Amino acid sequence: MTEKDFLPTPYKVKKIEGKSLWQAPSNIALIKYWGKRENQIPANPSLSFTLDTCATTTVIEYRRLEKKGTDFDFELFFEGRPMESFRPKIETFFKRIEVYLPFLKEYHFNIETSNSFPHSSGIASSASGMAALALCLMDLERELNPEMEPDFFIKKASFLARLGSGSACRSVEGDLVLWGGTRDFPKSTDLYAIKYPFKVNEVFKNFQDTILLVHKGQKQVSSTVGHELMHGHPFAAQRFLQARNNLTLIKPILASGDLSAFVQLVESEALTLHAMMMTGNPYFMLMKPNTLEIIDKIWEFRRATKTQVCFTLDAGANVHVLYPEEGKDRVLQFIKNELVAYCENGQYICDQIGVGARKLIMKGE
Ligand code: DP6
């Protein structure tokens, strides 16, 4: 498929008003997206676990305007309160997707959104947020074009979400998701994410992700700036190659359930991501002393108990602790005994691999 396939043909139906409600999960990358080209095209393919508990719920109410507006017409509420600070991000998103959803200026939108995880927990809400919004807008497009195929609906939602935030395209489906065109993976594309197309061992089915909230404050650098710093980065080409190689390497690991190889690859990806930040110009460091304390403790625990548990990081100080369901009691005990002390206010979130976004039914429907 190409971008052109997402341009709509004239709509057959007129819709005056309506509502749509979606819940989209967050996701955590095993192979990281860090670096992009124009139009949100990733510099390398990435692979993620879709999460389950950490999610954004968005409801849009739309009403057709008498006359198409010159600007986008929307109101925004976050957790029940007007949220003007999100406006520029949504404006940019609407501008980028207008050519694919040409009705956007024909409606007034009321957008209400809320997260299952605490605001300012340092958990990126852009992935789940953009995915939920893209799905709501696709619901409206499906009303205008009722013949739309379910498969196209999902692809276009991921395509649109990508234009809002790259990693958001991986938050539409579950449970293991690939974004970025790569030769070894049929149907993979830079335009939207697909379900991981090969065999995945049972051990990964109910994988756990306990997110340790190390630092809940404002991040020093946004991921958008971080991606930009990969342009002209001295190690960029090598990094992009490494990510591609890791995708080839992870295939037999996922098929066989080789957890010790999994642990090595996933941790190396996390540390490489942060190494890129630390070796850029300007350089920056998003890990905190407690991030390192936790990593050290995980390594010690793994050595001492031979439990297959590992960490990954996103562009922040929080630590995602990944492990198979089978070790849940043991690992949670370890987290409570040894790691919680390094979390801000002792906070952590228990999550696990999930199935993807869900359309919710509204009261009274
Ligand atoms: C470190 O998707 O937040 O989490 O496309 O600029 O919105 P934009 O960036 P974003 O970057 C995510 C980076 C990451 C790695 C990953 O999720 O793959």
Side-chain angles (χ1 to χ4, degrees):
M1 284 180 96
T2 70
E3 273 103 342
K4 285 207 183 85
D5 296 308
F6 294 108
L7 295 170
T9 46
Y11 299 121
K12 297 196 177 109
V13 175
K14 257 207 170 135
K15 181 88 185 158
I16 305 299
E17 58 182 10
K19 266 190 188 186
S20 170
L21 174 60
W22 277 84
Q23 185 178 67
S26 185
N27 71 74
I28 180 70
L30 305 172
I31 296 178
K32 310 288 182 185
Y33 148 57
W34 198 243
K36 61 177 159 180
R37 304 200 301 270
E38 231 188 318
N39 297 328
Q40 299 282 98
I41 296 299
N44 62 261
S46 57
L47 181 72
S48 54
F49 274 153
T50 303
L51 295 181
D52 183 43
T53 312
C54 289
T56 299
T57 302
T58 297
V59 54
I60 63 166
E61 283 179 61
Y62 46 87
R63 183 174 32 81
R64 205 180 146 93
L65 300 164
E66 303 273 296
K67 195 166 135 265
K68 183 172 178 170
T70 45
D71 286 320
F72 301 111
D73 184 358
F74 63 90
E75 281 165 82
L76 269 178
F77 296 86
F78 178 69
E79 288 170 3
R81 269 181 266 150
M83 197 58 160
E84 283 308 299
S85 60
F86 285 4
R87 185 169 285 278
K89 217 170 170 176
I90 305 294
E91 291 263 1
T92 307
F93 178 48
F94 278 13
K95 263 187 217 138
R96 284 188 193 156
I97 64 172
E98 192 191 3
V99 54
Y100 303 105
L101 299 179
F103 56 78
L104 283 178
K105 285 192 181 136
E106 290 168 14
Y107 286 87
H108 169 82
F109 294 98
N110 193 69
I111 307 170
E112 290 193 34
T113 182
S114 61
N115 291 336
S116 65
F117 42 88
H119 187 47
S120 80
S121 57
I123 296 183
S125 59
S126 64
S128 51
M130 287 298 175
L133 183 54
L135 284 156
C136 288
L137 295 171
M138 280 307 294
D139 246 357
L140 170 52
E141 179 165 63
R142 185 165 48 188
E143 295 277 356
L144 304 174
N145 173 16
E147 282 148 30
M148 186 185 294
E149 296 289 336
D151 178 57
F152 181 83
F153 178 94
I154 293 294
K155 279 186 183 144
K156 186 162 173 180
S158 173
F159 172 86
L160 296 176
R162 184 197 102 236
L163 293 170
S165 176
S167 56
C169 73
R170 301 189 312 238
S171 272
V172 173
E173 291 188 284
D175 43 4
L176 195 53
V177 175
L178 173 70
W179 168 40
T182 171
R183 255 190 303 162
D184 300 357
F185 291 79
K187 303 208 173 128
S188 65
T189 162
D190 288 343
L191 299 182
Y192 51 85
I194 59 168
K195 273 168 170 286
Y196 179 78
F198 297 116
K199 190 183 149 208
V200 179
N201 190 280
E202 278 299 302
V203 78
F204 296 109
K205 281 294 169 204
N206 293 315
F207 231 65
Q208 305 290 305
D209 179 4
T210 304
I211 309 162
L212 307 178
L213 305 180
V214 172
H215 182 72
K216 301 193 287 171
Q218 194 72 30
K219 269 196 286 188
Q220 197 187 335
V221 191
S222 73
S223 10
T224 306
V225 172
H227 286 291
E228 250 157 53
L229 291 176
M230 288 303 279
H231 291 288
H233 190 292
F235 307 133
Q238 201 53 40
R239 159 61 196 153
F240 301 148
L241 197 63
Q242 179 200 35
R244 281 179 193 279
N245 286 340
N246 278 344
L247 203 58
T248 307
L249 291 175
I250 208 167
K251 232 158 100 174
I253 296 175
L254 292 173
S256 65
D258 180 350
L259 287 176
S260 48
F262 178 82
V263 157
Q264 300 300 320
L265 191 149
V266 168
E267 291 189 346
S268 163
E269 271 291 317
L271 293 178
T272 303
L273 167 71
H274 283 258
M276 289 300 113
M277 303 179 195
M278 287 154 72
T279 49
N281 180 15
Y283 48 81
F284 55 100
M285 164 112 72
L286 296 182
M287 288 187 283
K288 296 281 173 196
N290 281 354
T291 312
L292 296 180
E293 293 284 1
I294 290 170
I295 291 174
D296 212 37
K297 289 273 177 203
I298 291 174
W299 285 345
E300 211 177 283
F301 177 74
R302 193 162 72 218
R303 250 193 323 265
T305 66
K306 308 269 178 286
T307 306
Q308 293 296 7
V309 50
C310 67
F311 70 85
T312 189
L313 308 164
D314 53 21
N318 295 337
V319 182
H320 290 248
V321 187
L322 302 178
Y323 50 97
E325 194 186 27
E326 176 271 316
K328 192 170 173 180
D329 293 346
R330 212 167 40 235
V331 177
L332 276 180
Q333 202 53 53
F334 156 65
I335 289 174
K336 282 182 202 145
N337 293 347
E338 308 233 12
L339 304 185
V340 165
Y342 300 108
C343 299
E344 202 170 322
N345 307 323
Q347 270 189 295
Y348 64 97
I349 299 172
C350 291
D351 208 339
Q352 60 182 10
I353 191 163
V355 294
R358 285 185 300 153
K359 181 171 163 68
L360 305 178
I361 303 301
M362 249 150 333
K363 281 185 212 123
E365 271 190 331

